[in-house]
Amino acid sequence: MKLPVYLGLLHEAERILARSFRVVADGHGDEPDVHVILGTLAGQCDRHVEALEPVIARFGSEVEGEEEHRVTADGVEEVRTGALGLLLDLQDLYVLVHHLDVMWTMVGQAAAGGRDRELLDVVARCEPDADLQSRWLQTRMKQAAPQALLVAA
Amino acid sequence: MVDRIADIWGTRTPYARGERWPVRVDQTLAPGVAEGDVDRWVQSACVLCSNGCGCDIAVKDGRMVGIRGRQADIVNHGRLGPKGLFGSWQGVDTGDRLTRPLIRVDGELVETDWDTAMNRIVERSRHLLDTKGPLSHGFYTTGQLFLEEYYALGIIGKAGVGTPHMDGNTRLCTATAATAMKESFGSDGQPGSYVDIDECDAMFLFGHNMAETQTVLWMRVLDRLAGPNPPRLVCVDPRETPVARAAEVHLAVRPGTNLALMNGLIRELFVNGWIDDAYIAAHTVDVDRLRDTVERWTPEAVAETCGVGADDVRRAAEIFGTSERVLSTVLQGFYQSAQATASSCQVNNLHLLRGMLGKEGSGILQMNGQPTAQNNRECGADGDLPGFRNWENPQHVQELADLWDVDPDTIPHWAPPTHVMQIFRYVELGSIEFLWISATNPAVSMPQLERIRRILDTDGLFLVVQDLYLTETARYADVVLPCAAWGEKTGTFTNVNRTVHLSDKAVEPPGEARSDLDVFLDYSRRMDFRTRSGAPLLDWAGPEDGFRAWQECTRGRPCDYTGISYERLRGGSGIPWPCNDANPDGTVRLYGDGVFPTDPDYCESYGHDLLTGAATGPVLYRATVQPGKAWLKSEDYRPPHEEPSEEYPLRYTTGRTVYQFHTRTKTGRSRALNRAAPGAWVEVSPADAEQLGIVEGDVVAVRSRRGHLEVPVRVGDIRVGTVFAPFHYGYWDDGGSEVSASAHHAANELTMTEWDPVSKQPVFKNAAVRIEKVRDCAGPSPAPTTAASRPACAGHRTAGRATGPGGGPGAVPATVGGQEGEASERFPDTAPPRVASSEERP
């Protein structure tokens, strides 16, 4: 049974994403919408971490030695500056969000296959947030891209 | 004669529900001018608030010498408020108007001619377009130009320059009204009508100090309150405003907690069954999500978060839930506070849940703050596409491209228009190098002024300012253009309840000043903007050409003007849109049939997530919409992002006073108005004053994380822990152009750079501050005694010093106008104007 691996990865990925949201929020404090909304999205991740805990208590989690998440293991640890830097930082978050989004989908598949009501309920509560996070990042990046790529210093 | 400074709302003319508001004709004439001396009266409407009162301007010897309300007008039935009576022509016929263009030479602004000034603009604009492209250009306009001027500017921005960086100061005042209607109903467009005041059984004023911001509308309410079967009033406001004093229930919420209250009111409707299940099923979407969102907001939970009584929440909800006809109005207390769009959508939801829309006395007025804000929104000068078109809908973009005969790719539609806070950020970062500001004064009106001043002063920024006066903002300009004021140019504009008025030119502008329309047309000509077939992009000879072009732009859209003409607007009353073949006399209310403009091919917006502002986008929207049904959008409450702390223990909020408008460019030059409210102040509650050891008139320093003020204190009727400052006061009449470190008194020195995620309206009404006494009072503060800023009701004692009524040593003298504040009132024995449309009382 490898579900504990996925639960562990998901749990860790949510923590990495929360931390990454906060790093970008704090690093781009001069962009008030980025600062405030990323703080809110980080709070969503915190709640996902909590929501996973009872499930992990039941199934356990196995991440030690696993390398399945190596592409996204570190998250965003520091920000870049300027208009291009903001765009790139938001794009890194976008990758992390989608990594998580698909992981929730897979855990949801396993929950459905295992007829696990509790886990299905956790997925139903958390997965829509990943979609919202993705949509917000897209909205903000699409607005920023022409200015950053065409005219910014 | 009546002293209309002391008696703001004038003499009562009581009437009953279902009757029409009686006529009262208000008038002022310049000293020494008798009615018989007037050469002619020129039709107009007042531009000193959003109410849109029809008026006539008296002209003698080529000068404006008076104003009177138009008794035939459906908006005001002859009345005018103090700002209109004393600040209309008096605010523009002054000795210090700009009369010649100015350009910066060796660091100084010097007079020049129009050719030189315009060539300088065009050279810079052309150079930047050639080297950096349209994203180097930004435009920031106002809520006070005319429709034709906004439409010209909108076309220039979208089809000439091709930049998405255009916004109006409507972003600061009415963006949330528009956004809340787009989110709930699919499009901007005011559902209700002022005539609903005549018909309602209850009125809810959400963050709306109508008594001061729309004085004439409040007269209508006062006259209902003075008549038989008056409406029950509920007021949501942290201050004890005149509205609060007239209300049966006053919910003095903590600033920043509106959404918790709204969710609680909605919950009460569900819990008590005060909802119309059949209407909800037939005309709305997402009721289950709404019910889930509000579930935790019991009256007790609301009481805890908002600092109001749980029973008051129940009483307010009961009034909403059980009255036959309820009218709601919403303004800055919601729009400029935290979670603005979500809170304003909940007002729409209250009405949707009860099916109380588009019927007599049952309506919503998502208010505007400025006289022509509505046209800014319609014409796209706030960046939206004209005619309430949807930038995400390629068909809508194509319609405009066909109308203007330009390539659709010219029209920016890859992302939402850039709101002003972001425009200023791009200026700060140096990617916008050309900024054109018309008829607005961000150096006083935008948040966190120290930052705004720094941005306006950015090296490499080419700043054009067009205005009536050398404002605080104009002092940073590279080119200043002198413009014609109200009464000096012709054009149309539309008020809160969609009523279109014509304002005819009464007199010539001073010196070489030109209408804003002429300036925009001249820029377009000099830039040689052309259509696909090679014709000039803007070939209008004057405003009426612009109006006709606009009519075509609105054909088939919610704001259809095709049945309105200059001809029809002359002589009678203003006409509310839509006015077309189907509604030849205009339309009093929208959505009486329960059909909302949410069809994906028709709607103005595909909507947003209210928590983050994430766009829904066409795919998700089309997958979830039920065309014609309204959206019951909802979001849970979250605490404001700056809360009181040990260092900054008080909540700070900003607002208006009845005698001043915006940054006082006009009202500050009216002797009668300026004497009534001559200087800045802050209001604190008696309990806070006692704790701080301050009394009425003491000068205090108010500090936030962003700046400080040094102003006298009014000890007033405001919630404990809350501090209020009027935002009107800047620095133009301080005698110097520089803002000295000790002389700060503009309320926005303290406000935050933060905005609502959906409407992008700045959060002016929440910040954390602390207060320290600077020196003893030399007399009472200059705050007026007539309205919300009146001294606290009960006298009190502070720090062992004897206090009179209101606190400080001695009594605070009452605000009066004396001779300068006199206006006449006539009560002609004529029937009140009928509503415009035959849909009612045929």
Side-chain angles (χ1 to χ4, degrees):
Chain A
M1 164 124 157
K2 289 294 180 188
L3 180 59
V5 174
Y6 249 79
L7 291 177
L9 290 176
L10 189 54
H11 193 249
E12 190 169 296
E14 286 285 2
R15 282 192 288 132
I16 291 168
L17 181 60
R19 196 179 64 220
S20 301
F21 277 146
R22 292 195 168 99
V23 166
V24 178
D26 292 343
H28 291 282
D30 288 339
E31 310 287 345
D33 55 342
V34 171
H35 178 76
V36 163
I37 290 166
L38 289 185
T40 303
L41 300 186
Q44 291 181 337
C45 297
D46 296 343
R47 284 194 295 282
H48 300 168
V49 169
E50 279 172 38
L52 278 168
E53 269 152 19
V55 187
I56 287 175
R58 196 147 55 83
F59 289 100
S61 81
E62 294 169 25
V63 282
E64 286 305 313
E66 298 288 347
E67 292 192 357
E68 282 81 352
H69 67 317
R70 60 192 164 195
V71 176
T72 52
D74 295 334
V76 181
E77 294 182 320
E78 57 184 17
V79 296
R80 287 155 281 207
T81 58
L84 182 63
L86 173 67
L87 190 61
L88 288 168
D89 288 338
L90 293 176
Q91 191 163 302
D92 286 350
L93 294 176
Y94 188 79
V95 171
L96 293 176
V97 165
H98 279 257
H99 171 67
L100 259 171
D101 188 31
V102 76
M103 223 184 307
W104 277 112
T105 306
M106 296 312 116
V107 170
Q109 292 296 100
R115 280 83 174 170
D116 191 315
R117 280 274 134 225
E118 185 193 17
L119 187 51
L120 278 168
D121 179 56
V122 171
V123 173
R125 274 189 286 136
C126 299
E127 193 179 13
D129 287 342
D131 175 60
L132 177 66
Q133 292 167 357
S134 161
R135 282 196 290 126
W136 183 80
L137 287 165
Q138 274 232 23
T139 302
R140 188 63 176 81
M141 288 161 66
K142 284 168 83 173
Q143 170 210 312
Q147 203 73 11
L149 301 182
L150 296 176
V151 286
Chain B
M1 296 294 247
V2 178
D3 182 341
R4 290 290 303 281
I5 295 292
D7 184 0
I8 295 165
W9 306 286
T11 305
R12 296 280 59 77
T13 54
Y15 69 119
R17 190 186 102 163
E19 293 176 6
R20 282 288 162 266
W21 191 27
V23 168
R24 182 187 94 195
V25 178
D26 296 348
Q27 175 176 306
T28 48
L29 290 171
V33 175
E35 197 150 343
D37 300 333
V38 174
D39 296 336
R40 60 202 169 91
W41 293 88
V42 178
Q43 184 176 345
S44 181
C46 183
V47 290
L48 286 161
C49 81
S50 64
N51 204 50
C53 297
C55 64
D56 291 310
I57 304 169
V59 179
K60 176 178 161 50
D61 302 329
R63 292 184 72 172
M64 295 190 274
V65 294
I67 188 169
R68 80 175 168 216
R70 288 178 63 80
Q71 68 181 58
D73 199 274
I74 56 169
V75 169
N76 53 322
H77 296 211
R79 289 163 189 77
L80 292 170
K83 288 191 282 287
L85 290 167
F86 307 117
S88 52
W89 91 86
Q90 305 93 325
V92 298
D93 187 6
T94 60
D96 60 340
R97 285 279 296 277
L98 291 168
T99 56
R100 297 194 68 200
L102 308 174
I103 54 171
R104 195 164 291 279
V105 178
D106 298 330
E108 298 294 315
L109 285 172
V110 298
E111 289 195 350
T112 187
D113 55 68
W114 275 95
D115 254 347
T116 307
M118 291 304 293
N119 282 339
R120 193 171 272 215
I121 293 169
V122 167
E123 264 170 38
R124 186 72 185 147
S125 182
R126 177 52 61 201
H127 173 75
L128 279 170
L129 287 183
D130 290 346
T131 55
K132 290 188 70 177
L135 298 177
S136 60
H137 279 51
F139 294 84
Y140 182 42
T141 187
T142 178
Q144 302 186 37
L145 298 184
F146 290 160
L147 180 157
E148 297 80 357
E149 296 169 328
Y150 293 129
Y151 189 42
L153 185 60
I155 294 174
I156 286 170
K158 292 170 215 320
V161 175
T163 179
H165 307 325
M166 179 178 287
D167 203 356
N169 65 14
T170 49
R171 188 66 59 187
L172 317 183
C173 87
T174 188
T176 302
T179 303
M181 292 191 279
K182 288 185 217 178
E183 295 296 328
S184 296
F185 309 132
S187 173
D188 195 347
Q190 189 70 264
S193 168
Y194 292 168
V195 79
D196 289 324
I197 294 174
D198 304 0
E199 303 283 352
C200 67
D201 298 309
M203 273 188 79
F204 278 63
L205 292 96
F206 294 103
H208 182 195
N209 183 6
M210 185 195 283
E212 296 194 63
T213 54
Q214 285 86 14
T215 54
V216 173
L217 205 56
W218 184 242
M219 294 173 205
R220 199 164 182 157
V221 177
L222 287 176
D223 286 343
R224 273 294 315 275
L225 291 174
N229 51 50
R232 303 174 75 181
L233 244 57
V234 176
C235 169
V236 180
D237 200 311
R239 298 164 80 206
E240 201 183 303
T241 62
V243 175
R245 284 168 214 143
E248 180 179 335
V249 180
H250 175 204
L251 297 159
V253 293
R254 264 184 207 115
T257 65
N258 292 327
L259 186 56
L261 172 70
M262 295 312 297
N263 286 352
L265 292 176
I266 295 269
R267 183 181 180 278
E268 286 297 289
L269 293 197
F270 280 122
V271 167
N272 293 287
W274 294 320
I275 58 173
D276 182 339
D277 287 311
Y279 187 94
I280 291 167
H283 301 295
T284 72
V285 183
D286 274 352
V287 68
D288 291 334
R289 186 179 162 187
L290 176 62
R291 195 185 273 115
D292 288 348
T293 304
V294 303
E295 195 185 333
R296 74 183 176 103
W297 290 104
T298 61
E300 284 69 25
V302 173
E304 171 79 22
T305 297
C306 303
V308 297
D311 284 342
D312 285 340
V313 176
R314 286 195 185 86
R315 281 169 65 208
E318 186 185 356
I319 292 172
F320 198 100
T322 60
S323 296
E324 189 190 337
R325 301 167 171 187
V326 185
L327 173 64
S328 292
T329 71
V330 195
L331 196 58
Q332 310 305 2
F334 272 40
Y335 300 162
Q336 295 182 339
S337 192
Q339 297 186 285
T341 301
S343 305
S344 303
C345 282
Q346 288 294 43
V347 178
N348 297 341
N349 292 343
L350 282 170
H351 285 261
L352 287 166
L353 288 176
R354 287 207 62 204
M356 290 205 305
L357 269 165
K359 301 179 202 161
E360 286 183 346
S362 301
I364 300 168
L365 294 169
Q366 296 277 2
M367 298 295 293
N368 306 345
Q370 295 179 82
T372 75
Q374 187 62 46
N375 306 108
N376 175 306
R377 279 149 49 181
E378 294 164 2
C379 298
D382 63 351
D384 285 345
L385 295 187
F388 298 157
R389 285 179 176 82
N390 183 351
W391 65 268
E392 289 188 280
N393 182 336
Q395 188 54 40
H396 285 191
V397 177
Q398 185 65 48
E399 284 170 19
L400 290 175
D402 292 344
L403 194 66
W404 299 335
D405 187 23
V406 297
D407 189 319
D409 289 345
T410 310
I411 302 169
H413 62 282
W414 54 81
T418 314
H419 59 95
V420 67
M421 299 298 286
Q422 189 66 49
I423 290 175
F424 271 62
R425 178 66 180 148
Y426 289 152
V427 172
E428 186 175 24
L429 292 171
S431 64
I432 288 179
E433 295 182 63
F434 177 99
L435 181 63
W436 188 327
I437 296 175
S438 42
T440 187
N441 193 10
V444 180
S445 56
M446 280 180 67
Q448 200 178 347
L449 288 180
E450 181 278 325
R451 172 176 178 266
I452 297 299
R453 286 190 290 265
R454 184 161 41 74
I455 292 172
L456 291 170
D457 211 19
T458 301
D459 275 348
L461 171 66
F462 187 85
L463 180 65
V464 181
V465 173
Q466 72 189 55
D467 212 306
L468 309 180
Y469 296 102
L470 193 67
T471 60
E472 289 88 339
T473 302
R475 293 175 192 278
Y476 292 94
D478 295 282
V479 178
V480 179
L481 302 174
C483 280
W486 171 88
E488 299 165 358
K489 60 181 183 180
T490 293
T492 53
F493 58 96
T494 306
N495 77 344
V496 171
N497 75 337
R498 297 172 275 103
T499 305
V500 186
H501 285 106
L502 176 69
S503 181
D504 262 323
K505 180 174 173 176
V507 298
E508 291 298 325
E512 297 175 22
R514 292 180 182 173
S515 76
D516 297 270
L517 179 63
D518 284 346
V519 175
F520 295 143
L521 295 177
D522 190 29
Y523 171 70
S524 181
R525 213 161 28 235
R526 288 173 192 261
M527 292 295 287
D528 200 28
F529 292 136
R530 291 189 176 271
T531 65
R532 254 192 308 210
S533 48
L537 178 64
L538 278 171
D539 59 355
W540 309 346
E544 195 160 3
D545 284 350
F547 188 82
R548 290 196 194 99
W550 171 245
Q551 287 182 290
E552 279 315 305
C553 185
T554 64
R555 190 178 292 281
R557 295 300 301 161
C559 53
D560 195 328
Y561 280 68
T562 50
I564 302 176
S565 63
Y566 276 26
E567 183 79 31
R568 277 195 75 184
L569 291 172
R570 285 200 176 99
S573 170
I575 300 170
W577 62 248
C579 179
N580 49 19
D581 290 344
N583 310 281
D585 298 318
T587 306
V588 176
R589 302 180 184 87
L590 304 181
Y591 312 140
D593 55 2
V595 178
F596 298 91
T598 47
D599 186 302
D601 296 326
Y602 187 70
C603 68
E604 185 184 7
S605 170
Y606 294 139
H608 301 83
D609 170 61
L610 298 188
L611 173 65
T612 61
T616 304
V619 175
L620 183 56
Y621 186 86
R622 284 180 185 275
T624 50
V625 70
Q626 296 182 40
K629 292 188 180 180
W631 297 95
L632 292 166
K633 289 250 174 159
S634 60
E635 187 50 58
D636 201 0
Y637 165 79
R638 275 152 211 267
H641 297 115
E642 187 169 282
E643 291 266 62
S645 62
E646 205 166 306
E647 194 181 356
Y648 299 99
L650 299 164
R651 283 176 200 269
Y652 179 72
T653 183
T654 68
R656 286 135 195 84
T657 180
V658 61
Y659 301 109
Q660 300 286 5
F661 189 53
H662 275 224
T663 60
R664 299 160 60 245
T665 44
K666 292 175 183 171
T667 52
R669 288 173 166 90
S670 152
R671 278 176 56 87
L673 294 173
N674 208 49
R675 274 183 50 200
W681 71 89
V682 291
E683 285 165 49
V684 299
S685 70
D688 288 325
E690 186 157 339
Q691 201 190 342
L692 291 159
I694 51 178
V695 297
E696 168 70 32
D698 280 353
V699 174
V700 296
V702 189
R703 291 178 202 282
S704 77
R705 292 177 177 85
R706 294 155 294 276
H708 76 281
L709 308 178
E710 201 175 300
V711 287
V713 160
R714 162 60 40 90
V715 179
D717 291 319
I718 186 169
R719 14 160 353 113
V720 174
T722 301
V723 180
F724 169 91
F727 89 110
H728 310 289
Y729 298 92
Y731 304 100
W732 61 263
D733 50 351
D734 274 1
S737 61
E738 296 301 314
V739 181
S740 77
S742 65
H744 283 190
H745 51 246
N748 283 316
E749 303 289 352
L750 308 188
T751 46
M752 299 170 68
T753 300
E754 189 195 341
W755 53 85
D756 180 73
V758 191
S759 69
K760 320 298 186 196
Q761 185 154 354
V763 181
F764 288 105
K765 291 191 185 285
N766 187 65
V769 298
R770 69 168 183 267
I771 290 186
E772 295 146 9
K773 181 168 162 177
V774 174
R775 58 181 175 273
D776 280 344
C777 64
S781 76
T785 64
T786 45
S789 62
R790 76 173 183 192
C793 277
H796 65 285
R797 302 182 68 83
T798 301
R801 293 153 70 188
T803 61
V812 178
T815 301
V816 294
Q819 267 194 334
E820 281 171 352
E822 284 187 346
S824 69
E825 292 180 339
R826 281 192 303 113
F827 302 88
D829 187 21
T830 50
R834 287 162 46 83
V835 291
S837 155
S838 52
E839 75 190 50
E840 188 169 311
R841 303 191 182 278

